[in-house]
């Protein structure tokens, strides 16, 4: 245990920092805002491509996939540096962090070239089609059906909550390919281009605004998908799904740390002398410490649930305190509650009310807090399933 | 930052765990002699936190905590025999003050050490049968709590909380009601999960505090407040869920759960509760 970073992490951070100083888009270039998690303005596509070409997009990957073979502590330093400077490296976070990353793990060489690299280079964007109206926490009960006939799947069913689908070029979907098998064993992962005939996307508003369009319903009717779009073996989709959610999950806690850090900054006045503000500082410190512990060799996958639960609940609780501390003023909307930064699209025009409401994304999406507690109880503490 | 115990630290923890389990049933002075002879009192801050967590796990009755984390940081040395210190400016509920061989007093004129026998401290009865506290009547006391004293109480509380959680887990895995083990009820699982997260959070902040003391990092006082506050918050949750999940069995003298609940609670109440340290953090 030691407080200082290793010299090779420091060196790496300094290199990246120098790169950012030299290459960051200016405020004038970056004027157009992204309006969904798969809508990437042209300047942001160029920015992501620049990162890709210099090996600063996913530094843990080899150079052909936008990286430089960085170690886990170096990857953490990369994300910390981005967070510290309030920079998004991609405006299609699921495309980069989940879909491209899954393709790099489970895809064929052709799929990597055909889909992963264009997503990484921001030539196309991608969305994640897991949840269905009847399959939320119980994802394995999903019913969207894909029937293989020769070299073509025919897909019928419906996805929901598919963030950014209306702006995405391709969906990574999870579909039922063997209805006779036990539910975890009959699922496959399939790439479906959104331009394919029979794909209908209907965006709808979020809790924040009727026209805040990120959520989508996606209707799939007799969609024909070539077999080469199957990711991983047939009926091995559950493994891909766990990999997808597992991807970058080792460092997922950082997004909560970043939000807590934002709250430390933005709620400082309201929190002056308040015990909840001390709790916020403690939660942030504890999350970072436990996150760093995940970098070592004694990593345990279930511990990621501890980080997600701690981080997302801490964000929610501090957001509520900040909301209450502002009293009726917290109702004003839109309101400026954080500093503007042209490379970062969150918070600065969100009211405290909206920030609190949005904090529920953390405790619901990607496995709810209740599901995390189940995992901790069963896989860490050994209570019966 | 590297935040994993290294091989030596893990080995130390294993050794301490085994030794304490073996020695704990012996008479108290034998336990104390063993710990002294093993050189544990001289351990640097992080190693000391690991040792104290294990002693907290075992509801240690010896003057180890006061000697290593009250007397030593105030005087910069170990006492002849056992030691404690008065540094709260008041002299109430001082650990071991009625029986320590040497007592360090933080006074307006600096630190003075007096033989415990000359102090005439009055032991105060408290609910935890193994925690010795006494009131000290001395003049011109001054306040200045060492960071290590807070870390020490935090580490002890984390150990006690971990023990409560372990006892609860063993209990709910074994006891059956409604034809199922208690641990299969989700209301029980979720309480256990929350206890685990609270222990992990408090332990991380305690190790951080010890590490900042070891490296004399400028954040050390803040880190000590965080550790003490987090340990206090942790014991609050662990006490409530732990006793509740045991049912009436936890309400008895015979069941050892009570010892560990009391130890955890005492650690919070001594030298300021979680709330006091949250406030202190904001001005540190
Ligand atoms: C902002 C946001 C973005 C999203 N983006 C996407 C996306 O891009 N792609 C995608 O596929 N999905 C997406 N989702 C969907 C997300 O994955 C699901 O919301 C999540 O899996 C929970 O499912 P559900 O909403 O159907 O809730 P449900 O599963 O119906 O749960 C409702 C409540 O019941 C509780 N509950 C359920 N099962 C249990 C249990 N076993 N034990 C105890 N409690 C239980 C839950 O914890 C929750 O409190 C997104 C969700 C949000 C909020």
């Amino acid at each position: 245990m030691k407080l200082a970073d290793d010299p090779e992490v420091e060196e790496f951070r300094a290199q990246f920092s120098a790169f950012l100083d030299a290459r960051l888009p200016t405020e004038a270039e970056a004027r157009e805002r992204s309006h969904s998690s798969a809508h990437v303005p042209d300047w942001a596509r160029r920015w992501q491509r620049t990162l890709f070409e210099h090996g600063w997009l996913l530094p843990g990957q080899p150079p052909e996939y936008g990286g430089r073979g960085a170690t886990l502590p170096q990857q953490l330093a990369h994300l910390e540096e981005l967070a510290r400077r309030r920079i998004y490296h991609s405006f299609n976070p699921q495309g980069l962090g989940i879909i491209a990353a899954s393709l790099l793990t489970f895809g064929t060489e052709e799929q990597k070239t055909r889909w992963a690299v264009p997503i990484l280079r921001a030539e196309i964007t991608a969305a994640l089609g897991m949840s269905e109206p009847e399959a939320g926490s119980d994802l394995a009960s999903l019913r969207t059906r894909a029937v293989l006939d020769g070299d073509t799947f025919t897909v019928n069913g419906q996805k929901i909550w598919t963030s950014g689908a209306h702006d995405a070029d391709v969906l990574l979907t999870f579909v039922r390919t063997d209805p006779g098998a036990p539910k975890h064993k009959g699922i496959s992962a399939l790439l479906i281009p959104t331009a394919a005939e029979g794909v209908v996307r209907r965006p709808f508003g979020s809790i924040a605004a009727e026209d805040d369009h990120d959520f989508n319903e996606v209707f799939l009717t007799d969609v024909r998908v070539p077999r080469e779009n199957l990711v991983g073996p047939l009926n091995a989709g559950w493994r891909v799904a766990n990999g997808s959610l597992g991807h970058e999950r080792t460092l997922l806690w950082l997004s909560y740390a970043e939000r807590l850090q934002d709250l430390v900054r933005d709620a400082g006045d309201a929190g002056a002398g308040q015990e909840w503000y001390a709790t916020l500082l403690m939660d942030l410190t504890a999350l970072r410490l436990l996150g760093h512990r995940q970098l070592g060799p004694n990593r345990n996958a279930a511990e990621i649930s501890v980080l997600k639960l701690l981080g997302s609940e801490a964000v929610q609780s501090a957001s509520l305190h900040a909301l209450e501390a502002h009293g009726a003023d917290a109702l004003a909307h839109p309101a400026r509650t954080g500093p503007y930064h042209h490379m970062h699209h969150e918070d600065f025009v969100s009211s405290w009310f909206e920030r609190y409401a949005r904090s529920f994304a953390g405790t619901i999406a990607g496995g709810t807090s209740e599901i995390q507690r189940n995992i901790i109880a069963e896989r860490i503490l050994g209570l019966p399933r | 930052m590297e935040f994993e115990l290294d091989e030596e630290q893990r080995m130390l923890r294993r050794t301490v765990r085994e030794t304490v389990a073996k020695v704990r049933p012996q008479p108290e002075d034998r336990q104390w002699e063993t710990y002294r002879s093993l050189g544990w009192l001289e351990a640097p801050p992080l190693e000391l936190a690991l040792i104290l967590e294990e002693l907290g796990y075992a509801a240690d009755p010896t003057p180890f905590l006061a000697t290593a984390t009250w007397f030593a940081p105030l005087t910069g040395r170990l006492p002849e025999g056992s030691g404690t210190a008065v540094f709260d400016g008041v002299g109430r509920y001082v650990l071991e003050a009625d029986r320590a061989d040497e007592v360090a007093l933080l006074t307006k004129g600096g630190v003075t050490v007096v033989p415990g026998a000359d102090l005439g401290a009055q032991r105060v009865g408290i609910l935890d049968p193994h925690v010795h506290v006494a009131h000290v009547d001395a003049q011109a006391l001054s306040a200045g709590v060492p960071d290590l004293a807070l870390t020490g109480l935090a580490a002890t509380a984390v150990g006690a909380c971990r023990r409560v959680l372990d006892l609860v887990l063993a209990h709910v895995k074994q006891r059956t009601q409604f034809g199922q083990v208690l641990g299969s009820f989700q209301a029980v699982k979720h309480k256990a999960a929350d206890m685990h997260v609270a222990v992990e959070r408090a332990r991380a902040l305690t190790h951080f505090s010890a590490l900042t003391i070891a490296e004399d990092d400028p954040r050390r006082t803040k880190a000590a407040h965080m550790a003490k506050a987090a340990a206090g918050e942790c014991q609050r949750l662990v006490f409530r869920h732990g006793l509740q999940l045991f049912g009436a069995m936890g309400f008895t003298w015979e069941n050892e759960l009570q010892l560990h609940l009391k130890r955890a609670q005492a650690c919070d109440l001594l030298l300021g509760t979680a709330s006091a340290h949250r406030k202190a953090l904001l001005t540190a």
Side-chain angles (χ1 to χ4, degrees):
Chain A
M1 252 192 212
K2 60 184 168 77
L3 292 170
D5 274 339
D6 273 337
E8 76 262 22
V9 175
E10 283 305 324
E11 166 78 31
F12 181 90
R13 194 192 298 270
Q15 275 177 25
F16 184 45
S17 180
F19 173 85
L20 291 173
D21 286 339
R23 304 302 288 260
L24 202 66
T26 64
E27 207 169 317
E29 285 170 89
R31 193 148 287 143
E32 188 188 351
R33 309 273 81 186
S34 152
H35 53 65
S36 87
S37 55
H39 166 248
V40 185
D42 285 341
W43 67 264
R45 291 181 191 255
R46 287 195 296 276
W47 164 239
Q48 186 173 326
R49 191 143 60 242
T50 304
L51 288 167
F52 177 91
E53 277 158 6
H54 291 82
W56 288 120
L57 186 63
L58 289 177
Q61 294 290 339
E64 62 271 31
Y65 301 125
R68 46 181 65 219
T71 63
L72 206 45
Q74 288 174 332
Q75 293 172 56
L76 172 61
H78 170 255
L79 293 174
E80 276 178 342
E81 193 59 25
L82 288 167
R84 194 179 67 76
R85 293 167 170 251
R86 296 177 61 71
I87 294 170
Y88 285 1
H89 54 323
S90 170
F91 289 75
N92 178 212
Q94 288 98 333
L96 182 74
I98 300 179
I99 296 149
S102 297
L103 288 168
L104 293 180
T105 306
F106 297 101
T108 61
E109 288 311 309
E110 291 72 45
Q111 286 170 339
K112 291 182 195 176
T113 314
R114 168 90 202 277
W115 300 104
V117 171
I119 293 171
L120 294 172
R121 291 172 55 83
E123 288 155 10
I124 62 173
T125 64
L128 184 66
M130 296 184 129
S131 308
E132 297 181 2
E134 303 300 325
S137 298
D138 184 12
L139 178 65
S141 68
L142 63 87
R143 291 198 272 198
T144 294
R145 184 82 169 90
V147 180
L148 182 61
D149 182 12
D151 276 340
T152 309
F153 288 99
T154 303
V155 185
N156 279 287
Q158 186 195 339
K159 295 290 170 183
I160 192 168
W161 316 117
T162 328
S163 301
H166 61 307
D167 288 316
D169 300 294
V170 65
L171 310 175
L172 178 65
T173 63
F174 291 83
V175 294
R176 185 148 310 276
T177 38
D178 184 353
K183 64 181 184 177
H184 295 88
K185 300 202 166 132
I187 297 171
S188 299
L190 207 55
L191 285 163
I192 304 184
T194 53
E197 205 173 323
V199 177
V200 173
R201 296 162 286 168
R202 196 186 70 80
F204 55 97
S206 77
I207 190 169
E210 192 174 6
D211 63 355
D212 172 39
H213 282 182
D214 204 29
F215 281 150
N216 277 258
E217 290 179 295
V218 179
F219 301 94
L220 304 161
T221 312
D222 293 330
V223 182
R224 295 173 62 77
V225 181
R227 189 189 172 121
E228 69 205 33
N229 284 16
L230 176 70
V231 180
L234 191 67
N235 296 322
W238 191 248
R239 215 157 47 91
V240 180
N242 282 325
S244 303
L245 297 177
H247 256 295
E248 312 271 300
R249 265 193 352 157
T250 317
L251 296 177
L252 184 76
W253 60 271
L254 252 175
S255 64
Y256 300 109
E258 189 180 348
R259 289 205 166 76
L260 291 170
Q261 187 67 61
D262 288 348
L263 285 160
V264 167
R265 182 197 57 220
D266 299 340
D269 288 342
Q274 303 294 316
E275 286 186 45
W276 63 262
Y277 193 74
T279 301
L280 165 60
L281 296 171
M282 289 161 62
D283 284 332
L284 173 58
T285 309
L287 182 64
R288 285 212 174 114
L289 295 167
L290 292 170
H292 274 85
R293 204 179 61 183
Q294 285 292 315
L295 302 181
N298 301 304
R299 215 168 29 252
N300 168 357
E303 294 285 347
I304 291 170
S305 292
V306 173
L307 296 175
K308 185 179 187 247
L309 184 60
L310 177 65
S312 63
E313 293 288 337
V315 170
Q316 191 163 99
S317 151
S319 303
L320 176 58
H321 281 297
L323 170 69
E324 289 174 344
H326 285 87
D329 279 341
L331 292 167
H333 181 87
R336 187 164 178 150
T337 59
Y340 173 78
H341 194 285
H342 66 285
M343 297 297 291
H344 192 289
H345 285 185
E346 249 176 76
D347 294 342
F348 74 100
V349 289
S350 296
S351 60
W352 283 111
F353 201 9
E354 178 176 342
R355 286 176 76 161
Y356 172 57
R358 281 195 188 276
S359 73
F360 284 77
T363 56
I364 294 173
T368 66
S369 290
E370 289 72 27
I371 297 298
Q372 305 307 327
R373 288 190 180 93
N374 290 348
I375 293 173
I376 293 167
E378 291 162 12
R379 298 198 208 147
I380 299 179
L381 304 180
L383 297 181
R385 284 182 186 236
Chain B
M1 178 171 53
E2 271 171 32
F3 203 67
E4 272 211 308
L5 298 179
D6 63 31
E7 194 39 55
E8 256 168 69
Q9 289 159 341
R10 276 202 295 275
M11 200 149 79
L12 171 73
R13 188 168 61 181
R14 253 193 322 272
T15 314
V16 173
R17 211 168 265 182
E18 286 162 14
T19 308
V20 172
K22 202 160 66 215
V23 172
R24 182 66 180 82
Q26 297 173 1
E28 194 182 311
D29 49 347
R30 286 276 300 285
Q31 299 175 44
W32 175 232
E33 274 319 307
T34 306
Y35 302 154
R36 274 171 40 127
S37 67
L38 287 168
W40 289 358
L41 287 164
E42 284 117 76
L46 187 60
E47 285 71 11
L48 195 56
L50 298 176
I51 294 167
L52 285 167
E53 187 182 324
E54 296 311 318
L55 291 173
Y57 190 85
D60 173 47
T62 76
F64 192 97
L65 176 67
T67 305
T69 72
W70 289 32
F71 183 90
L74 206 66
T75 59
R77 65 172 175 89
L78 286 172
E80 297 295 327
S82 62
T84 189
V86 183
F87 39 53
D88 65 348
V90 184
R92 287 174 62 80
Y93 301 99
V94 181
L95 270 182
E96 311 295 342
D98 62 317
R99 60 170 187 167
D101 295 311
E102 292 194 71
V103 181
L105 304 170
L106 182 61
T107 67
K108 299 200 167 83
V111 177
T112 53
V113 179
V114 298
D118 298 354
L119 202 61
Q122 293 298 313
R123 185 169 185 193
V124 191
I126 62 168
L127 208 53
D128 184 329
H130 296 309
V131 169
H132 263 257
V133 291
H135 293 336
V136 173
D137 193 12
Q139 300 301 308
L141 291 174
S142 178
V145 178
D147 296 333
L148 190 64
L150 298 181
T151 319
L153 280 167
T156 308
V158 167
C161 288
R162 223 187 69 223
R163 181 62 169 271
V164 171
L165 177 56
D166 282 354
L167 290 169
V168 166
L169 290 172
H171 180 66
V172 304
K173 283 176 190 175
Q174 160 269 322
R175 180 169 166 80
T176 300
Q177 286 292 283
F178 300 99
Q180 299 177 38
V181 291
L182 299 177
S184 62
F185 296 117
Q186 199 174 57
V188 171
K189 284 187 188 175
H190 283 194
K191 285 191 176 70
D194 286 339
M195 289 161 84
H196 174 73
V197 174
V199 170
E200 290 293 301
R201 176 179 182 268
R203 195 208 318 240
L205 288 169
T206 300
H207 288 176
F208 180 60
S209 169
L211 193 56
T212 57
I213 295 170
E215 298 193 14
D216 197 19
D217 185 271
R219 292 167 290 182
R220 56 181 280 171
T221 297
K222 281 195 164 114
H225 288 305
M226 288 197 198
K228 182 71 167 69
E233 291 165 9
C234 175
Q235 74 78 27
R236 210 167 187 230
L237 185 95
V238 165
F239 193 114
R240 182 155 52 88
H241 289 346
L243 183 45
Q244 185 68 21
L245 291 181
F246 249 84
M249 186 74 90
F251 204 75
T252 64
W253 181 263
E254 247 170 76
N255 194 294
E256 65 166 315
L257 185 76
Q258 53 110 347
L259 279 180
H260 308 292
L261 295 172
K262 289 170 186 167
R263 178 59 52 97
Q265 178 76 74
C267 288
D268 183 40
L269 293 170
L270 291 172
L271 302 186
T273 60
S275 169
H277 287 283
R278 286 193 296 265
K279 291 197 187 90
L281 169 63
L282 296 173
T283 51

